[in-house]
Amino acid sequence: MRHDFKKIEPKWQAKWEESKIFRAVDGSEKPKFYGLVEFPYPSGAGMHVGHIKAYSSIEVVSRKRRMQGYNVLFPIGFDAYGLPTENYAIKTKTHPRIITDKNIARFSEQLKRVGFSFDWDRVIDTTEEGFYKWTQWIFLKMFENGLVYRDKALVNYCPSCKVVLSNEDSQGGKCDICHSEVVQKSKVVWYLRITKYADKLLKGLDKVDYPDNIKQQQINWIGKSTGAFVDFAVDGIDEKLKIYTTRPDTLFGVTFMVIAPEHPFIDKYSDKIKNMDDVLNYRNECAKKSEFERTQLVKDKTGVKLEGFEAVNPITGKKIPVFIADYVMMGYGTGAIMAVPAHDQRDYDFAKKFGVDIIPVIEGGNIEEAAYTGEGRMINSDFLNGLSKKKECISKMIEKLEALGVGKAGVQYKMKDWAFNRQRYWGEPIPIVHCPCCGDVAVPYDELPLKLPEVENFEPGTEGESPLAKIDSFVNCKCPKCGKDAKRETDTMPQWAGSSWYFLRYIDPHNSECFADREKINYWMPVDWYNGGMEHVTRHMIYSRFWHQFLYDLGLVNTSEPYAKRSAQGLILGPDGDKMSKSKGNVIDPLDIVNEYGADTLRTYVLFMGDYGDATPWNDSSVKGCKRFIERVAALTDLVSDEPVPAKLESSIHKTIKKVSADIEEMKFNTAIAALMTLINEIYAVGHITKDDLIIFIKLLCPFAPHICEEIYSELGEDGFLSVAEWPEYDEAKTVDASVEIAIQINGKVKSTLEIANGEAKDKVLELAKKDEKIASLIDGKTIVKEIYVPNKIVNIVVK
Ligand code: ANZ
Ligand code: ZN
C-alpha cells in the first residue's frame, strides 16, 4: 500500500517535532493567536475520545491561523494534583509523584500520536515545584490583600472522600469526585473572598465573546440580587433581628418571620425560648439534610414556632410570630426572612400549614388558592396605597425605612466565598504559619515553594485532617515574624488552584524570577480563543477569571479578562447513546481508533460526527466513512494532470475555500468537512485535477487531517511543510455560478424548471418562463392575474 497511515503518521509527527514548526515565538512581528484548551487531568485511564474532540477545535483553528501567517501559541500541560491520583497512591502504596509522572508520559505519548500541533517546549505540570511555587505566590498576594481568611463554618463535607467541598464542587448536593451525598459539617475552613469580585465578574462579561448560555450560567451562579436589609425588633431583647428581602414594598403584608435553624439567635437567646427541646430536635433533623434537599426537594413545609419570641413589624408596629424552618438557609442574606404569605409561594405554603394570617398588599390573583406574585395596585399599605409600579414602591419603602433608621438598601449574591482547602496530601501546601503570638503569618516569598514533605502514609485522618498533620518535621516551625515556635498549616489547596492561572505560565513556562515576564504577557494576553466543557462554566471559568482580575488589580497583567472568546464542545456519547462510562462498557479508546484507522480518520471523525456543541453518539460506520474519505484523498495524486479543470469545478473549488474558511471560524467543522467531501466527489467525476488545485484541496483539509495532506504535498514535489504553507484565497467572482436553475410555479405549484443567467433581469426571466413549453401550454387561454419573481429562485404565475 502506497499510503500506509501506520508509516505516514509517525513519520510526519517526528518531522514536525524535529523541525519545531509549531513552536510559538515570543514577541514576533507577526499577529499573534493564543489558542487554549483545558489541560487534562492525567488520570490512570489515559485519554478519552472526549479529550480529542475538545482539543480538535482549537487545533484546527490554530493550524489555520499558522497558515494565515499568525504566530500561534497553542500549548498543553497537565492539571495533575487531585484525589484520583492520591486515592490510587493509597491503594497501591505508590508515591503520587511516580503515578503522576507515569500518567503524564502516557498522555503525552497519546496526544502526540493524534498529531496535535502543541508547542511541546511549553508543557507545564501544576505539581512541579517550578509551577506551584507561583500558585503559592499568588495565594500569598491574595492573603496580603485581604482576600484570604479562615472561618468556622458549616461546610459541604464529603464523608467518603473526607474533604471539605466548595459550593461549586457540590452542585446538586453531590460530591463532584465520588458522587456521594454531601453533608453539612462545622469546620474551620480557608476561604478566598471571591464575593468581593462578584460585581467585576458580572461586569467583565460585557467585554468578552462567550456564547449567551455560558454568560447566563455565570450570571445565575453569581446571582446578584438587589433589595433591602430591615431590622425587626424582638420583644424582650435588645438586639435587632436583621432580614434580607428583595421586596421591601410588601412590608405591610408581613405576618410572620422565619429564621434558619442554625441562626445564632437560637443559642444566644435560648433562655427566652420556651420550647427549646422542640427547637433543638428540629435543628438536628435539618443538619442531616443537604442544602439541595432543603431548598429543592421539599414537598411539605416544616418548622417550629419559637414560643416566647415575638417580633414587631417595624412599619406597622404589629406583633408577629417567629418560626424556624429549613427553607430559610443560614448561608444566604442574613439567615432570616420577613414572610409575606400573600405574595411569596413558600411563605404561603408555610402560612397555610401553620395557620398564620395572609394579608394581601398587591391586587390581583386569587389568594384563596396561591400567592400572587405578579404586579398590581398596592392595597392595605398606607402610604403606598394606589401605586402600582413595583420599582417605585420599593424605593419609597426604602426611603421610609432609612428615615426611620430601621433599614437600608442592600445587595446580595448567591455565590459564596470559595472554600479553599482540602485535607489531603496531593495538593499545594497552603503557605501559612500559625503563631500563638502573631496569628496567621505568611511564609516569606523567598521561602517558596513551600514543598510537600515526603510521607509514608497518604491516608487522611478519620476526622478529615490532612496527612501532613502527622508529620512533626513539617508541622513544627518558627514564626517568620517573631521567631517563636509555631505550627504550619497542614491543609492543601483544592484542585482548582493551579488551573486558575495556568494559561499565564504557558507564556513563560521556565521563568524562575516571576510567574511570567510582563513583556511576554503583554504580547500574548488575552487568550484569543478558549475551548472547554460546559461543566467548567461555573467553576474553573469563574475561579480563573477571579484570579486574573485580582492580578490585573495588582497591575501584574495587561487585561482584566483572561479569555477574549470561549466556546464549548458537546459530549461524545457511547454508540448506544448513553454517556460513556466504564460500568456501561461503552467507552471508545481513541488509541484503538488511531491504531485501526489512523489519526487523520479519528481527527476528521470527531469533528464530522455532528454539530460541535451537540452531544453526539459514537458511530462506527461513520468512522469508516471518514476513513474512506481519507483514502480517496490519498488517491487524488493519480488524477493530477496539466489540463485545467472545467469552469464548474473551478467555481466549486473557490466556493469550498470560502466555505471551509468561514465554517472553521464559526466552529461548523462538520459542514466544512462535508464541503470537502462534496468537492472530492466532483473532482472524481471530472477525472482530473491540476497540481495547483490539488494543493488548494490539501491545504483546506490539512488542519483536519494533516498527515495525509503533508504526505501528498511532498509527493507533489513541494518543499517545506504544508502545515505552515499559505492558506488559500478565493476569488469572489468565481464563487458565483454563471447560471442558476429556478422553479416555475403556476398558482404556487411547481410545474417546470428553467436555467437562467445568474442575476438575469426580471422581465427577461418572466418572458423565458412563459415561453417554457410546459408552462406555455398550461397558461394557454387563461388570464394571468399576477406574476411574482423571487430572484434566482422562483417564478410564480397566478392564473384564473
Ligand atoms: C419578602 C418577600 C416577599 C420576598 C415577596 C420575596 C417575595 P433572591 O431574589 O434569590 O435574592 N430570602 C432571603 N434570605 C433568605 C434565606 N436565607 N433563605 C431563604 N430565603 C431567603 O431572594 C430573596 C428573597 O428570598 C427575599 O425576599 C426573601 O423573601 C427570601 F413577595 O422577602 B423575600
Ligand atoms: Zn509569631
Side-chain angles (χ1 to χ4, degrees):
M1 224 209 302
R2 187 151 56 107
H3 292 106
D4 183 358
F5 70 82
K6 292 198 172 160
K7 293 212 181 84
I8 292 175
E9 294 186 347
K11 178 177 84 183
W12 287 103
Q13 286 159 13
K15 282 180 188 262
W16 293 330
E17 191 158 348
E18 229 167 77
S19 59
K20 297 198 184 285
I21 52 169
F22 303 132
R23 190 163 54 179
V25 183
D26 297 322
S28 131
E29 294 286 300
K30 292 181 182 178
K32 67 97 183 179
F33 176 77
Y34 185 175
L36 185 66
V37 292
E38 287 169 350
F39 61 163
Y41 176 72
S43 75
M47 233 172 25
H48 186 273
V49 278
H51 289 115
I52 310 294
K53 182 172 173 188
Y55 303 159
S56 289
S57 53
I58 304 296
E59 157 77 353
V60 164
V61 174
S62 295
R63 281 182 172 270
K64 178 182 176 224
R65 288 283 183 286
R66 285 191 204 94
M67 295 173 78
Q68 289 175 309
Y70 283 78
N71 176 29
V72 171
L73 171 56
F74 182 44
I76 193 71
F78 299 93
D79 190 12
Y81 274 133
L83 272 181
T85 299
E86 180 161 346
N87 289 341
Y88 189 71
I90 293 170
K91 213 170 92 191
T92 59
K93 301 203 186 323
T94 317
H95 197 287
R97 175 79 267 155
I98 295 169
I99 298 167
T100 299
D101 288 344
K102 227 169 87 190
N103 289 346
I104 286 180
R106 171 141 177 254
F107 261 75
S108 303
E109 181 56 33
Q110 294 183 330
L111 289 166
K112 286 181 183 178
R113 289 204 52 201
V114 182
F116 286 121
S117 63
F118 296 125
D119 180 346
W120 288 99
D121 290 345
R122 295 183 187 243
V123 174
I124 56 177
D125 164 0
T126 54
T127 66
E128 261 175 14
E129 283 167 17
F131 185 95
Y132 76 72
K133 168 176 178 174
W134 300 108
T135 310
Q136 291 174 331
W137 187 91
I138 298 171
F139 175 87
L140 286 185
K141 283 286 164 195
M142 290 191 159
F143 182 72
E144 216 176 277
N145 284 277
L147 291 176
V148 178
Y149 65 96
R150 238 162 38 124
D151 198 11
K152 192 177 169 87
L154 271 184
V155 294
N156 307 304
Y157 182 78
C158 173
S160 153
C161 294
K162 300 195 177 102
V163 285
V164 173
L165 296 169
S166 70
N167 265 18
E168 287 79 359
D169 278 342
S170 51
Q171 296 181 33
K174 297 255 193 297
C175 169
D176 191 60
I177 303 151
C178 73
H179 310 291
S180 322
E181 282 299 324
V182 165
V183 298
Q184 305 288 303
K185 191 173 172 146
S186 177
K187 226 177 157 31
V188 176
V189 192
W190 285 99
Y191 286 100
L192 296 189
R193 221 181 279 283
I194 191 171
T195 51
K196 204 179 157 205
Y197 276 75
D199 262 322
K200 282 189 179 164
L201 289 167
L202 277 178
K203 287 213 188 80
L205 291 173
D206 294 339
K207 284 184 256 176
V208 292
D209 177 13
Y210 296 178
D212 284 342
N213 62 334
I214 292 184
K215 280 194 187 181
Q216 200 53 52
Q217 274 196 28
Q218 295 205 348
I219 291 168
N220 295 345
W221 184 257
I222 296 164
K224 182 173 183 171
S225 141
T226 53
F229 291 101
V230 185
D231 294 330
F232 283 67
V234 179
D235 251 3
I237 65 175
D238 281 341
E239 198 178 348
K240 294 275 168 32
L241 183 52
K242 194 187 269 308
I243 62 98
Y244 175 70
T245 177
T246 46
R247 298 298 304 274
D249 55 319
T250 61
L251 248 160
F252 287 97
V254 174
T255 54
F256 61 103
M257 296 182 79
V258 184
I259 66 178
E262 305 83 7
H263 197 282
F265 264 39
I266 296 169
D267 288 328
K268 203 162 170 190
Y269 301 110
S270 57
D271 57 324
K272 297 265 185 305
I273 301 171
K274 299 206 181 97
N275 55 339
M276 232 4 226
D277 284 352
D278 294 346
V279 168
L280 291 179
N281 278 339
Y282 183 72
R283 183 157 72 182
N284 286 339
E285 284 308 305
C286 296
K288 292 180 198 149
K289 294 192 209 165
S290 66
E291 172 160 346
F292 186 71
E293 282 176 281
R294 281 173 58 167
T295 54
Q296 310 291 314
L297 301 177
V298 277
K299 287 175 206 85
D300 226 2
K301 289 276 173 297
T302 60
V304 175
K305 186 172 167 187
L306 299 183
E307 302 292 351
F309 231 67
E310 256 187 333
V312 184
N313 183 326
I315 215 84
T316 63
K318 269 196 217 143
K319 297 237 168 107
I320 50 174
V322 182
F323 295 82
I324 59 169
D326 64 359
Y327 78 94
V328 172
M329 303 303 305
M330 197 55 227
Y332 187 66
T334 62
I337 67 157
M338 61 179 222
V340 186
H343 305 292
D344 181 297
Q345 192 58 43
R346 294 169 306 173
D347 299 344
Y348 183 90
D349 295 341
F350 193 89
K352 282 278 178 196
K353 179 148 179 201
F354 287 84
V356 194
D357 292 346
I358 300 176
I359 303 174
V361 292
I362 300 167
E363 258 179 6
N366 176 7
I367 64 156
E368 293 306 315
E369 273 165 18
Y372 176 63
T373 55
E375 302 212 14
R377 222 163 51 92
M378 300 296 292
I379 49 171
N380 301 325
S381 293
D382 194 335
F383 64 96
L384 295 179
N385 282 340
L387 298 175
S388 55
K389 287 209 183 69
K390 185 165 114 184
K391 257 197 162 157
E392 186 189 354
C393 296
I394 289 176
S395 51
K396 275 223 154 77
M397 181 57 89
I398 289 175
E399 260 170 52
K400 183 76 164 190
L401 293 170
E402 283 175 353
L404 294 171
V406 291
K408 60 176 192 321
V411 177
Q412 278 298 297
Y413 298 92
K414 287 266 144 52
M415 184 171 70
K416 294 176 190 171
D417 278 336
W418 175 6
F420 195 76
N421 56 333
R422 297 288 181 273
Q423 298 69 39
R424 288 304 200 113
Y425 176 73
W426 198 228
E428 303 87 348
I430 290 180
I432 298 284
V433 168
H434 304 289
C435 168
C437 311
C438 314
D440 295 345
V441 180
V443 169
Y445 287 106
D446 60 16
E447 286 177 24
L448 298 182
L450 172 61
K451 293 183 195 169
L452 261 181
E454 289 302 322
V455 302
E456 296 291 319
N457 175 0
F458 310 106
E459 205 93 46
T462 45
E463 276 311 291
E465 65 281 5
S466 162
L468 298 185
K470 292 179 259 177
I471 307 174
D472 291 341
S473 59
F474 178 79
V475 174
N476 297 321
C477 64
K478 300 286 177 205
C479 168
K481 243 189 209 163
C482 70
K484 292 201 189 102
D485 284 349
K487 293 207 183 296
R488 266 188 212 291
E489 172 60 49
T490 57
D491 280 359
T492 50
M493 296 187 196
Q495 220 209 306
W496 304 102
S499 60
S500 292
W501 73 282
Y502 77 116
F503 48 90
L504 290 169
R505 191 63 179 171
Y506 284 136
I507 289 172
D508 199 5
H510 311 295
N511 198 325
S512 54
E513 301 299 311
C514 55
F515 63 83
D517 177 73
R518 182 57 194 270
E519 288 281 303
K520 294 181 187 174
I521 291 173
N522 291 352
Y523 178 79
W524 285 113
M525 287 300 284
V527 170
D528 294 287
W529 196 336
Y530 190 13
N531 185 71
M534 285 306 289
E535 71 277 18
H536 288 144
V537 168
T538 54
R539 283 186 293 187
H540 159 63
M541 286 283 285
I542 297 237
Y543 292 153
S544 56
R545 291 183 57 221
F546 161 48
W547 279 41
H548 197 75
Q549 290 181 348
F550 166 69
L551 292 174
Y552 179 72
D553 286 347
L554 291 189
L556 298 175
V557 294
N558 59 330
T559 62
S560 59
E561 286 292 330
Y563 321 121
K565 176 177 174 137
R566 169 78 180 191
S567 55
Q569 74 276 358
L571 292 177
I572 298 184
L573 305 173
D576 51 3
D578 286 337
K579 209 180 150 170
M580 276 194 194
S581 81
K582 259 198 209 146
S583 59
K584 289 201 193 100
N586 61 354
V587 176
I588 305 283
D589 183 337
L591 263 288
D592 287 348
I593 305 299
V594 171
N595 289 333
E596 191 169 348
Y597 302 102
D600 282 340
T601 298
L602 173 66
R603 296 167 57 112
T604 305
Y605 172 68
V606 294
L607 293 181
F608 181 64
M609 65 191 305
D611 286 348
Y612 190 66
D614 287 356
T616 313
W618 187 267
N619 181 313
D620 278 323
S621 70
S622 180
V623 176
K624 289 187 184 116
C626 288
K627 171 71 181 155
R628 268 194 303 279
F629 169 60
I630 301 294
E631 279 166 358
R632 297 187 86 204
V633 172
L636 276 175
T637 46
D638 295 341
L639 304 189
V640 173
S641 101
D642 290 337
E643 191 184 339
V645 299
K648 182 130 194 309
L649 179 54
E650 193 187 7
S651 165
S652 295
I653 291 171
H654 283 267
K655 277 193 225 163
T656 310
I657 299 174
K658 185 175 180 177
K659 180 159 180 62
V660 172
S661 303
D663 281 359
I664 289 176
E665 297 307 317
E666 289 168 46
M667 296 198 126
K668 293 184 192 159
F669 306 111
N670 50 345
T671 56
I673 294 165
L676 289 164
M677 290 174 168
T678 307
L679 183 59
I680 207 172
N681 286 341
E682 278 185 58
I683 297 170
Y684 274 101
V686 167
H688 60 88
I689 185 167
T690 64
K691 178 178 158 186
D692 287 350
D693 286 338
L694 177 53
I695 288 179
I696 290 176
F697 184 91
I698 55 175
K699 279 180 175 174
L700 295 176
L701 182 63
C702 188
F704 301 94
H707 309 87
I708 187 65
C709 294
E710 289 278 14
E711 182 68 15
I712 295 175
Y713 194 61
S714 84
E715 240 176 79
L716 292 173
E718 296 296 313
D719 288 334
F721 291 97
L722 182 66
S723 298
V724 288
E726 210 175 315
W727 187 251
E729 301 268 349
Y730 59 90
D731 180 349
E732 184 69 49
K734 287 185 179 153
T735 63
V736 282
D737 294 309
S739 62
V740 291
E741 193 182 72
I742 63 165
I744 314 174
Q745 302 177 333
I746 293 179
N747 292 349
K749 295 221 169 71
V750 177
K751 297 293 177 192
S752 184
T753 58
L754 181 67
E755 176 117 356
I756 59 160
N758 192 345
E760 186 66 273
K762 178 179 177 181
D763 289 350
K764 178 84 192 195
V765 175
L766 291 175
E767 187 193 319
L768 289 170
K770 284 180 278 188
K771 274 195 200 142
D772 179 271
E773 235 176 277
K774 266 190 234 154
I775 301 298
S777 71
L778 284 167
I779 57 176
D780 189 35
K782 303 216 167 90
T783 322
I784 295 178
V785 211
K786 214 173 176 184
E787 294 168 338
I788 302 158
Y789 177 49
V790 183
N792 281 352
K793 291 213 165 67
I794 299 166
V795 168
N796 185 16
I797 301 169
V798 184
V799 296
K800 252 205 313 222

